[in-house]
Amino acid sequence: MTDSAGARWRMPAEWTPHERTWMAWPSSGYTLGDDPAEADLARRTWAAVARAVAAFEPVTVVVEGHDLHTAREHLGTDTAHPVDLVIADLDDAWMRDIGPSFVLSERGTLGAVDWIFNGWGGQSWASWGKDSRVAALVADAAGAQRIASPIVNEGGGIHVDGEGTVLLTETVQLDPGRNPEATKGDIETELARTLGVSTAIWLPRGLTRDYDEYGTRGHVDIVACFVAPGRVLLHWQEDEGHPDHAVSREAEQVLRAARDAAGRELEIVRVPAPATTHDEQGPVDWSYINHLVCNGGVVACTFEDPHDERALAVLREAYPGREVVGVDARPLFDRGGGVHCITQQQPATRG
């Protein structure tokens, strides 16, 4: 679709070439936890993801000025590709959601969609005065044209095939805490303008744990994702005692009935959920769907779980020719997300 300046924008698929990946450094808030040990675990986990991505492509990390030394100490300087630091004020460190969604024009120039961010629907524990300005800062630092959007949305709430189709869930963009007056048609019109999509596939809901206190209320990027046009990976909970057993099957029914922008039926690949089903808080939402595709690689969530290798094998088959590496994502999911949630790809431009 065309924006007010006349440009037609399209969000490329994640598996197309990247210029770099953007992240944010955990500097404050609940992400760091309540004590030095939890803070150290958060920093080590974010650094492990950054270093894993930097094996494949450059990484830029947004960091609070007072945390520059700590960030550099954890990130190191010995990666195959550089890990650069950009100073900015932050509330939190979920770059997929606070940062922009990058798009390209027909001429291959870079744009950055700046969604309204309001703490995942105005969560009582969240603060977002600083984070709401991060997308514009990242757009400027990347040399991208900022595309302001009037809707509340996060990058974890969408997944595109790069050819006109978007996956999303009814409980995110239609959340009364996000866009209380919006209809599906309103959202689809705005996603057509900003992402260049013509077909939206609405899943009814996200994973059960994602509706707990620190959840997103249903982000699609732990439920399903495209791996190629017409091919979708789906989180598959095999345990009948887990509430996501029903969620997986409901999502599969919707996907089987759907057609993409080209009119294709979707090939659905079930990705087994971890064997671990519960922790002390209840049913977990651990998911291998929440991975990042990089230049020549895939950085995946692992959980020291019996199903880790089984799921990584599915990812290797889904992304032939890419090296699949795992990072222990339990500390991320304990805080409300995964590898995909803390990263945001910037597509390569032409010329």
Side-chain angles (χ1 to χ4, degrees):
M1 297 294 288
T2 305
D3 75 353
S4 59
R8 295 174 64 88
W9 300 106
R10 176 184 61 86
M11 185 174 181
E14 194 169 306
W15 55 83
T16 59
H18 298 176
E19 176 70 25
R20 66 182 58 251
T21 286
W22 287 82
M23 297 181 64
W25 185 250
S27 299
S28 60
Y30 84 97
T31 301
L32 278 184
D34 297 324
D35 57 54
E38 290 187 8
D40 182 63
L41 179 58
R43 291 169 182 139
R44 285 189 286 110
T45 304
W46 259 256
V49 173
R51 290 177 58 82
V53 176
F56 302 104
E57 62 190 58
V59 177
T60 300
V61 181
V62 178
V63 59
E64 293 256 18
H66 68 83
D67 243 3
L68 271 174
H69 176 74
T70 300
R72 179 51 68 197
E73 189 176 58
H74 281 80
L75 294 165
T77 57
D78 59 342
T79 49
H81 298 272
V83 179
D84 300 320
L85 303 180
V86 172
I87 297 175
D89 294 330
L90 294 166
D91 292 298
D92 227 311
W94 304 97
M95 181 55 82
R96 178 70 51 178
D97 297 340
I98 65 176
S101 296
F102 287 105
V103 292
L104 297 176
S105 73
E106 289 180 306
R107 297 182 178 180
T109 54
L110 186 67
V113 182
D114 184 358
W115 314 106
I116 296 173
F117 179 72
N118 73 345
W120 302 277
Q123 302 274 29
S124 61
W125 48 265
S127 58
W128 57 87
K130 299 172 184 176
D131 282 351
S132 63
R133 298 190 291 269
V134 168
L137 178 143
V138 170
D140 185 61
Q145 179 180 330
R146 176 177 168 269
I147 305 158
S149 175
I151 67 169
V152 178
N153 189 34
E154 303 95 36
I158 54 174
H159 208 285
V160 302
D161 67 353
E163 295 190 0
T165 314
V166 62
L167 295 174
L168 62 172
T169 58
E170 295 182 2
T171 61
V172 172
Q173 289 80 14
L174 303 180
D175 175 15
R178 288 179 168 98
N179 302 295
E181 306 299 326
T183 65
K184 284 186 179 179
D186 295 333
I187 298 300
E188 290 174 10
T189 296
E190 177 60 8
L191 297 185
R193 181 185 76 88
T194 52
L195 306 181
V197 296
S198 58
T199 300
I201 300 174
W202 293 86
L203 301 183
R205 52 181 168 156
L207 302 187
T208 302
R209 180 71 163 265
D210 202 20
Y211 296 88
D212 283 0
E213 181 179 9
Y214 293 111
T216 70
R217 300 176 186 161
H219 271 187
V220 75
D221 69 351
I222 59 173
V223 184
C225 68
F226 287 107
V227 291
R231 195 169 196 224
V232 175
L233 297 186
L234 173 64
H235 177 82
W236 194 252
Q237 178 54 253
E238 299 168 332
D239 192 309
E240 294 182 3
H242 194 296
D244 290 337
H245 180 79
V247 173
S248 297
R249 282 146 186 80
E250 187 177 28
E252 186 178 58
Q253 288 179 351
V254 172
L255 292 169
R256 290 203 182 283
R259 300 293 182 271
D260 68 11
R264 290 174 290 229
E265 295 183 6
L266 300 176
E267 177 190 357
I268 301 163
V269 179
R270 297 173 177 176
V271 182
T276 303
T277 60
H278 291 71
D279 63 12
E280 57 274 13
Q281 271 79 51
V284 300
D285 59 355
W286 295 357
S287 173
Y288 301 105
I289 300 299
N290 198 265
H291 55 272
L292 177 72
V293 185
C294 305
N295 293 337
V298 176
V299 179
C301 296
T302 55
F303 305 96
E304 289 196 4
D305 185 271
H307 286 180
D308 281 354
E309 188 48 47
R310 185 177 162 202
L312 293 179
V314 175
L315 294 180
R316 292 188 187 101
E317 188 279 332
Y319 298 104
R322 296 181 190 266
E323 180 184 357
V324 178
V325 299
V327 175
D328 187 349
R330 289 173 297 174
L332 294 174
F333 276 84
D334 285 347
R335 291 160 170 80
V339 168
H340 198 251
C341 305
I342 67 171
T343 56
Q344 179 63 270
Q345 71 277 359
Q346 177 185 331
T349 56
R350 299 194 302 267

